[in-house]
C-alpha cells in the first residue's frame, strides 16, 4: 500500500510554533502548481505499485481552490495506478472551509479532512497566531457534515502555557461534542527558528514543565477512551477503525512519494529530501530537474526507523521481526521496561503503556543501533 504526499507551501500567516516549510507570498502560486504537476510526471516510476492514499499537506492546502487541487489530482491520476477508492486527505484551516468550498472539495474526490483547529479558545488562538477564531472552529464541522464529509480529523495542541488545565479540559469537551472520526493531539514543541523559539531564547516565553504536559496527556487519553476513541498511535485517536491510512503507512514502513518543496520520499532503501525553497524548486522543475538530496539507508538506519515508528503505535515493535532485521535484542533493557511498567509484551510485540508513551522518543533512542 503506497501513498503520495503533496506539500502545498502556502499559508495566510506564520503560526508562532510552526517550523514546516511555507511562504505567505502567493505571487507564484500558479507556477508552484505547475512545478508540482511536473514533479509528479518526473517521479511516476518511483513507487511502481498501486497508490492507496493521497495526502495534501502543508502549509495550508485549503488555500488552493478546488479547481487547482483537481488539476493536481488529474495529473496524478494520469501518471499513477491509483486504486478505485483511495483515501484522499486535505489538511484545512477552519477559516477556509466555507460551505461553497467544502462542496467543491467533495465534488473533486476529497474524502477526508484534517482540520487544524488547535484550540477553541480565542485567547489561545491569538497566542498561537492562528488565522481563525472560536466561532469558525465550532462551525467548520457542521459545514463539513452538510457537505457530505464522513471522515473528519481534528488537530489539537496541548502543553500550552496557561495558569491551569481549564482551557485544555474545555477543548477536550468541545472536540468530543463535535464527534469527529479522528483526533490528532500534539504537545506544543518550541522549535528554535519559530517565533516561540526566538521568544524563549530571549526569556520572553517559558515552556511548561514536563509534569504539566504529562498531566494533560493522561487526561486526554482517559477522556477520549471513555468516549470511544482508540489511541492507535501516541498522538492519534480514532473511532471504529477510522485510522489515517496514509499516516499508518508511514508508521508501518510502507513506501511513499513526497511531492513539492520540503517534501520527503521513502522507498525502503533510501530517503529523498526536496529543497525547502519555493523559487529554487520552481526554477529547477521548469528545467526538468527535481531538486533533492538523497540518503541511502544502512542496515542500522532501517532497523532504527522501524523502532522509532513502530514503538509509537498500538501494535508496538514485533521482536521477531526485529530479530529478522539482524537486531540483537537487549534483554536487560527490555526487562527494565517491563519491570518499570513502561511496556508490556503481547504475542512477541513490545507495546508501550501510557507511562511509556510519554517517554517514547527516549525509549526508541535507547534502543537505536549506532553505526
Amino acid at each position: 500500500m503506497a501513498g503520495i504526499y503533496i506539500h502545498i507551501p502556502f499559508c495566510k500567516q506564520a503560526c508562532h510554533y510552526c517550523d514546516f516549510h511555507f511562504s505567505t507570498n502567493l505571487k507564484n502560486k500558479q507556477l508552484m502548481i505547475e512545478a508540482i504537476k511536473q514533479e509528479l510526471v518526473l517521479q511516476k516510476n518511483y513507487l511502481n505499485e498501486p497508490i492507496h492514499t493521497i495526502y495534501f499537506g502543508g502549509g495550508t492546502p485549503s488555500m488552493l481552490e478546488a479547481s487547482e487541487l483537481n488539476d493536481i489530482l488529474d495529473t496524478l491520476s494520469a501518471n499513477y495506478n491509483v486504486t478505485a477508492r483511495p483515501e484522499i486527505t486535505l489538511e484545512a484551516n477552519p477559516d477556509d472551509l466555507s460551505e461553497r468550498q467544502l462542496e467543491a472539495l467533495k465534488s473533486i474526490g476529497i474524502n477526508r479532512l484534517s482540520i487544524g483547529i488547535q484550540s477553541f479558545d480565542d485567547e489561545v488562538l491569538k497566542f498561537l497566531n492562528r488565522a481563525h477564531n472560536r466561532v469558525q472552529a465550532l462551525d467548520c464541522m457542521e459545514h463539513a457534515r452538510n457537505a457530505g464529509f464522513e471522515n473528519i480529523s481534528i488537530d489539537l495542541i496541548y502543553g500550552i502555557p496557561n495558569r491551569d488545565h481549564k482551557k485544555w479540559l474545555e477543548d477536550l469537551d468541545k472536540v468530543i461534542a463535535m464527534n469527529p472520526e479522528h483526533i490528532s493531539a500534539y504537545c506544543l514543541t518550541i522549535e528554535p527558528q519559530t517565533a516561540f523559539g526566538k521568544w524563549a531564547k530571549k526569556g520572553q516565553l517559558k515552556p511548561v514543565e514536563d509534569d504539566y504536559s504529562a498531566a494533560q496527556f493522561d487526561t486526554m487519553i482517559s477522556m477520549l477512551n471513555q468516549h470511544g476513541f482508540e489511541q492507535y498511535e501516541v498522538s492519534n485517536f480514532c473511532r471504529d477503525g477510522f485510522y489515517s491510512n496514509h499516516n499508518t503507512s508511514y508508521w508501518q514502513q510502507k513506501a511513499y512519494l513526497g511531492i513539492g518543496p520540503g517534501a520527503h520520499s521513502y522507498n525502503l532503501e533510501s530517503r529523498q529530501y526536496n529543497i525547502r525553497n519555493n523559487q529554487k524548486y520552481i526554477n529547477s522543475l521548469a528545467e526538468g530537474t527535481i531538486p533533492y538530496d538523497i540518503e541511502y539507508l544502512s542496515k542500522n538506519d532501517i532497523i532504527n526507523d522501524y523502532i522509532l515508528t513502530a514503538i509509537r503505535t498500538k501494535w508496538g515493535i514485533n521482536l521477531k521481526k526485529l530479530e529478522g532485521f539482524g537486531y540483537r535484542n537487549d534483554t536487560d533493557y527490555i526487562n527494565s521496561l517491563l519491570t518499570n511498567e513502561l511496556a508490556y509484551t503481547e504475542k512477541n510485540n513490545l507495546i508501550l503503556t501510557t507511562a511509556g508513551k510519554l517517554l517514547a522518543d527516549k525509549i526508541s533512542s535507547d534502543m537505536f543501533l549506532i553505526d
Side-chain angles (χ1 to χ4, degrees), residues 268-286:
L268 311 184
E269 296 178 354
S270 66
R271 293 191 184 278
Q272 292 181 190
Y273 307 88
N274 282 2
I275 192 170
R276 290 169 58 102
N277 182 296
N278 285 6
Q279 193 58 56
K280 290 181 179 179
Y281 174 83
I282 289 170
N283 292 345
S284 185
L285 266 301

Side-chain angles (χ1 to χ4, degrees), residues 77-277:
S77 297
N79 289 277
Y80 295 81
N81 177 16
V82 181
T83 57
R85 296 174 64 88
E87 175 190 87
I88 307 179
T89 301
L90 180 85
E91 288 185 353
N93 283 345
D95 44 302
D96 294 325
L97 296 180
S98 67
E99 293 183 5
R100 181 195 66 81
Q101 174 76 335
L102 283 161
E103 290 170 1
L105 292 173
K106 192 74 168 59
S107 73
I108 65 170
I110 304 296
N111 53 31
R112 183 174 185 273
L113 294 176
S114 178
I115 307 176
I117 288 178
Q118 317 309 356
S119 175
F120 296 93
D121 186 279
D122 278 334
E123 185 178 316
V124 173
L125 292 170
K126 184 176 180 180
F127 172 69
L128 298 174
N129 203 39
R130 298 291 290 166
H132 67 277
N133 58 38
R134 176 180 180 275
V135 172
Q136 292 168 316
L138 291 170
D139 287 348
C140 66
M141 176 66 83
E142 181 181 356
H143 294 159
R145 293 298 194 208
N146 290 341
F149 284 94
E150 299 176 346
N151 192 353
I152 299 173
S153 179
I154 300 296
D155 281 5
L156 296 177
I157 294 178
Y158 64 96
I160 296 169
N162 282 314
R163 291 189 303 275
D164 53 41
H165 298 300
K166 181 180 177 182
K167 292 182 186 296
W168 178 232
L169 293 172
E170 290 174 348
D171 280 347
L172 289 172
D173 282 336
K174 286 183 173 62
V175 77
I176 289 167
M178 291 176 82
N179 197 27
E181 284 69 33
H182 190 281
I183 297 170
S184 296
Y186 302 98
C187 186
L188 179 66
T189 302
I190 308 299
E191 301 291 350
Q193 298 306 313
T194 64
F196 280 167
K198 293 171 184 175
W199 295 354
K201 187 176 181 180
K202 296 176 181 177
Q204 297 171 344
L205 175 67
K206 183 180 179 181
V208 300
E209 299 291 335
D210 289 345
D211 287 348
Y212 184 90
S213 54
Q216 294 192 341
F217 181 76
D218 287 341
T219 299
M220 170 180 66
I221 293 173
S222 176
M223 288 182 64
L224 294 183
N225 284 345
Q226 288 173 22
H227 287 84
F229 288 91
E230 175 191 13
Q231 186 183 26
Y232 70 103
E233 194 269 348
V234 169
S235 302
N236 288 274
F237 303 77
C238 70
R239 288 193 185 279
D240 304 321
F242 275 91
Y243 306 128
S244 167
N245 292 324
H246 186 85
N247 289 339
T248 298
S249 70
Y250 293 160
W251 304 322
Q252 295 180 341
Q253 294 77 51
K254 302 293 173 61
Y256 61 87
L257 171 62
I259 299 292
H264 298 173
S265 302
Y266 171 66
N267 64 1
L268 311 184
E269 296 178 354
S270 66
R271 293 191 184 278
Q272 292 181 190
Y273 307 88
N274 282 2
I275 192 170
R276 290 169 58 102
N277 182 296

Side-chain angles (χ1 to χ4, degrees), residues 279-300:
Q279 193 58 56
K280 290 181 179 179
Y281 174 83
I282 289 170
N283 292 345
S284 185
L285 266 301
E287 296 174 358
T289 302
I290 304 167
Y292 65 82
D293 292 325
I294 189 166
E295 173 193 6
Y296 292 99
L297 303 177
S298 68
K299 178 181 175 181
N300 284 356

Side-chain angles (χ1 to χ4, degrees), residues 29-30 33 37 56 63-73 108:
K29 184 176 73 166
Q30 190 55 47
I33 292 169
K37 289 162 57 181
F56 287 95
M63 289 186 66
L64 267 59
E65 295 292 332
S67 58
E68 295 169 328
L69 293 165
N70 193 48
D71 198 15
I72 294 171
L73 286 172
I108 65 170

Side-chain angles (χ1 to χ4, degrees), residues 311-368:
I311 204 167
R312 295 179 58 87
T313 71
K314 73 165 194 172
W315 304 283
I317 295 172
N318 186 297
L319 297 175
K320 291 292 185 183
K321 181 175 181 178
L322 204 56
E323 289 178 10
F325 283 140
Y327 183 91
R328 185 172 180 177
N329 291 328
D330 186 337
T331 306
D332 289 341
Y333 183 72
I334 291 174
N335 284 339
S336 73
L337 296 176
L338 303 178
T339 300
N340 291 296
E341 298 184 345
L342 297 175
Y344 62 95
T345 55
E346 183 178 287
K347 297 180 180 178
N348 287 316
N349 291 331
L350 181 71
I351 303 170
L352 296 183
T353 62
T354 297
K357 288 170 184 172
L358 281 167
L359 301 172
D361 290 343
K362 181 183 186 306
I363 292 170
S364 59
S365 178
D366 289 343
M367 294 180 69
F368 282 172

